Amino acid sequence: MKYRLIFGSLLLVLVSCNPYRGFSGVDPKGMGKKPPSVRIADDMKKSQIKGNRKIKREMKRKQKRYGAPKD
């Protein structure tokens, strides 16, 4: 009984402590073509570009709706 409990808790710790969990830039099979830091930087750039596009669209809609002058 004790051994089963110890083995079960050890297995649970090993499974839950995956070093690759939660990181978008890290591939568990290896490095791939780009290092993780470069992938994360590229993802940040893409998200900033998407955010800027979203803001521009929103401002266009507001201008149409309210007739606000362009900045």
Side-chain angles (χ1 to χ4, degrees), residues 26-44:
V26 178
D27 185 15
K29 293 184 179 178
M31 288 292 281
K33 294 179 183 175
K34 295 181 183 177
S37 58
V38 173
R39 283 192 224 154
I40 291 171
D42 289 347
D43 289 345
M44 284 179 58

Side-chain angles (χ1 to χ4, degrees), residues 6 14 17-19 27 31 36-37 42 45 48 55-56 58 60 65:
I6 292 171
L14 290 176
C17 295
N18 186 356
D27 185 15
M31 288 292 281
S37 58
D42 289 347
K45 262 188 218 175
Q48 284 178 349
I55 290 171
K56 282 183 183 180
E58 188 178 327
K60 277 185 182 179
R65 188 172 180 183

Side-chain angles (χ1 to χ4, degrees), residues 43-67:
D43 289 345
M44 284 179 58
K45 262 188 218 175
K46 285 179 186 177
S47 66
Q48 284 178 349
I49 290 171
K50 281 184 181 181
N52 288 342
R53 250 189 265 142
K54 192 175 182 180
I55 290 171
K56 282 183 183 180
R57 272 186 260 136
E58 188 178 327
M59 294 305 284
K60 277 185 182 179
R61 287 185 195 130
K62 281 186 181 182
Q63 183 189 4
K64 270 187 179 179
R65 188 172 180 183
Y66 299 119

